[in-house]
Amino acid sequence: MSFHATLRQGASSVFLRIEEALDAPFGGQDNPLRHLGAIGLYLLWIVVGTGLYLYTVLDTGIDAVYSSIGYLSQEQWYLGGVLRSLHRYASDGFMLVMLLHLVREWAYGRYHGFRLYSWMTGIPLIWLAYAAGIGGYWIVWDQLAQLSATATTELLDWLPIFSEPAARNFLAPDSINDRFFTMLIFVHIGVPLLLILGLWAHVHRIAHVDYLPSRRVMLGTLAALVLLALLRPALSNPPANLAVIPGALDFDWFILFIHPLTDISSPAIVWSLLFGVTALLFALPVLPHPAPAPVAVVDAANCTGCDRCLADCPYAAIAMRPHPRRPGLKLAVVDADLCAGCGICAGSCPSSTPFRRREILVTGIDMPCAARATRDGAGTTHWPHPHCRLLLRTWRRRQDAGRHRHRRDRSSLHRPVTSGLRRIRAARRGRRRPRYRLPRRRL
């Protein structure tokens, strides 16, 4: 086993233990680790909503921007100050949830196969998110914004993209004017719009997207953010002065961590680290990874074309085509490149319902674990995938329980239906006239 596989397996075991521990108090539907993507989208909408309000009341002048932000935080703390704090803490939460979502997907091996498109489109979103976050701190134009602007331009000057050093624009107080802040606000609005467009591309191939978490998770997240905004409101540092070196500042390590990293190392090391991590993330799908899960197989003789597997498939891997042997009916067709092998389609297929009057329940679509299993000379069964044995054991147990329930409830559940069908069949043969009874309705 390679070092990457060992590291990923250890990370996945840690996530599994934490998720199982959180399932007890929260349940699967409200477990935050199981809905990191939905929580991230929810935090993004909080950032967008609070940002629109701040944009409407914010002045963009070089002197007015700091005073207008201070007015919201001091005089109008009950509305503008709380919304500003929500904007700041929701941004930090979005960064944290985004990174946790990235690490969790990597730990579970969800970066190749049918998830390749989502993985590739999600990596550029990290750059857009941090570009929007760093640019947002410049708008306040306090000493923290001055430090961030100077450090960012010095970092960009190392790249051969500017004819003149961009850091010269922050050497003297007269080098900054009102147009700079107007342009900065438009850039701060444009980058999040690109981020939202990228998020649409990131999830548009998934059939049932979890856009928002459950109501309890949303209310709990919003209550935590509001409580944090009231207990520790986001305040501005002293006003920026390009003639003075900033002193001790309240730092945001979730977004501005790159500036201390540049200070203790060098721009060359920081860019090498950023480009190296990005290239590694893009190269992960071509590295050795576990064998893909088995693809669902359709049994044409038992497929009724009911479209339930099509409606329940979360990855749009099933399509309905005309049945080759039954005119007028449809047949489910599985796309092997999009199938995740989750088995949801097999659970939604009504052909294997325990209420059918058959001794052997055969589903119209199922996982091919039993068909592809082989046995050697010693009598040991070899499964094509590690999860096949567990899936087959669970499915057989459910089939046995269904047959037992069918025999147990046959007298009470199926007798009215069976007797009604017998009366209709007898009437067709001329024995007696069927009796039709309208159901009684309670007023």
Side-chain angles (χ1 to χ4, degrees):
M1 184 179 294
S2 62
F3 173 76
H4 173 253
T6 304
L7 183 62
R8 189 176 59 80
Q9 185 176 2
S12 63
S13 63
V14 172
F15 272 102
L16 281 175
R17 292 180 181 179
I18 298 176
E19 289 176 4
E20 291 176 356
L22 294 178
D23 281 339
F26 296 104
Q29 187 178 2
D30 299 332
N31 192 337
L33 281 183
R34 298 186 184 275
H35 304 277
L36 290 175
I39 294 176
L41 289 175
Y42 176 63
L43 292 173
L44 180 62
W45 293 126
I46 294 178
V47 173
V48 171
T50 55
L52 290 176
Y53 173 80
L54 296 176
Y55 171 73
T56 58
V57 299
L58 186 66
D59 296 330
T60 58
I62 185 173
D63 297 326
V65 61
Y66 183 83
S67 60
S68 61
I69 286 291
Y71 172 79
L72 292 178
S73 301
Q74 301 293 335
E75 303 296 334
Q76 201 187 33
W77 62 268
Y78 52 88
L79 179 60
V82 172
L83 292 179
R84 181 195 176 185
S85 301
L86 286 177
H87 188 76
R88 188 261 179 89
Y89 293 130
S91 301
D92 294 341
F94 176 77
M95 298 296 181
L96 179 61
V97 170
M98 177 181 61
L99 295 180
L100 283 177
H101 179 63
L102 174 68
V103 176
R104 183 176 181 269
E105 297 301 303
W106 163 78
Y108 288 152
R110 299 171 181 174
Y111 52 85
H112 57 85
F114 66 96
R115 292 186 175 94
L116 178 63
Y117 177 82
S118 299
W119 179 265
M120 290 297 184
T121 54
I123 297 174
L125 301 180
I126 304 175
W127 287 79
L128 292 176
Y130 275 98
I134 293 175
Y137 273 96
W138 293 17
I139 299 178
V140 183
W141 200 235
D142 54 359
Q143 290 188 2
L144 181 60
Q146 176 185 345
L147 174 64
S148 178
T150 305
T152 303
T153 52
E154 290 178 354
L155 188 63
L156 292 175
D157 287 339
W158 187 84
L159 299 175
I161 56 178
F162 298 109
S163 59
E164 296 182 358
R168 292 182 179 180
N169 297 322
F170 301 97
L171 294 178
D174 298 336
S175 59
I176 302 298
N177 52 25
D178 296 342
R179 294 182 180 179
F180 172 76
F181 289 95
T182 304
M183 179 196 68
L184 193 62
I185 288 180
F186 280 104
V187 171
H188 187 60
I189 295 176
V191 174
L193 290 178
L194 292 177
L195 179 62
I196 295 175
L197 181 62
L199 285 173
W200 171 83
H202 180 63
V203 301
H204 89 282
R205 283 195 175 185
I206 303 176
H208 304 283
V209 182
D210 195 7
Y211 288 104
L212 292 175
S214 63
R215 182 176 300 179
R216 294 180 180 178
V217 176
M218 288 192 295
L219 293 177
T221 303
L222 183 60
L225 292 176
V226 172
L227 182 62
L228 186 60
L230 294 176
L231 296 179
R232 190 177 177 83
L235 301 176
S236 302
N237 290 279
N241 188 0
L242 296 179
V244 178
I245 299 178
L249 303 172
D250 294 333
F251 208 76
D252 188 356
W253 292 93
F254 291 96
I255 298 177
L256 304 178
F257 71 94
I258 194 173
H259 300 326
L261 183 61
T262 308
D263 186 53
I264 62 177
S265 59
S266 64
I269 295 178
V270 172
W271 283 119
S272 300
L273 183 61
L274 294 178
F275 289 145
V277 172
T278 304
L280 180 61
L281 292 178
F282 277 115
L284 276 180
V286 300
L287 297 178
H289 48 75
V295 179
V297 177
V298 178
D299 188 357
N302 292 278
C303 181
T304 60
C306 63
D307 296 348
R308 293 189 181 182
C309 57
L310 173 66
D312 291 342
C313 181
Y315 301 104
I318 300 176
M320 304 305 296
R321 299 287 186 268
H323 204 288
R325 300 179 182 177
R326 300 176 182 176
L329 297 180
K330 294 182 179 180
L331 179 67
V333 179
V334 180
D335 189 348
D337 296 332
L338 299 178
C339 181
C342 58
I344 295 178
C345 54
S348 63
C349 182
S351 296
S352 59
T353 175
F355 299 105
R356 294 187 66 188
R357 296 174 58 195
R358 298 182 60 176
E359 292 295 331
I360 301 178
L361 301 179
V362 182
T363 180
I365 183 171
D366 201 355
M367 306 307 299
C369 296
R372 295 175 58 185
T374 59
R375 180 171 295 181
D376 55 11
T380 304
T381 305
H382 298 277
W383 304 92
H385 193 269
H387 299 290
C388 285
R389 187 173 183 179
L390 179 61
L391 288 175
L392 182 62
R393 185 183 304 171
T394 305
W395 183 248
R396 283 179 175 174
R397 189 183 299 114
R398 193 167 70 182
Q399 281 185 326
D400 295 338
R403 284 196 294 267
H404 178 70
R405 189 188 315 154
H406 167 68
R407 294 170 181 172
R408 182 187 61 189
D409 299 340
R410 185 174 180 177
S411 59
S412 60
L413 180 63
H414 293 279
R415 181 175 296 176
V417 179
T418 306
S419 60
L421 292 176
R422 287 178 178 175
R423 285 198 300 268
I424 295 176
R425 291 170 184 171
R428 290 177 180 177
R429 290 192 293 265
R431 295 181 181 178
R432 63 178 180 177
R433 189 174 182 179
R435 295 177 299 174
Y436 296 100
R437 296 181 179 179
L438 295 177
R440 295 181 180 180
R441 296 182 181 180
R442 297 181 179 180
L443 299 178

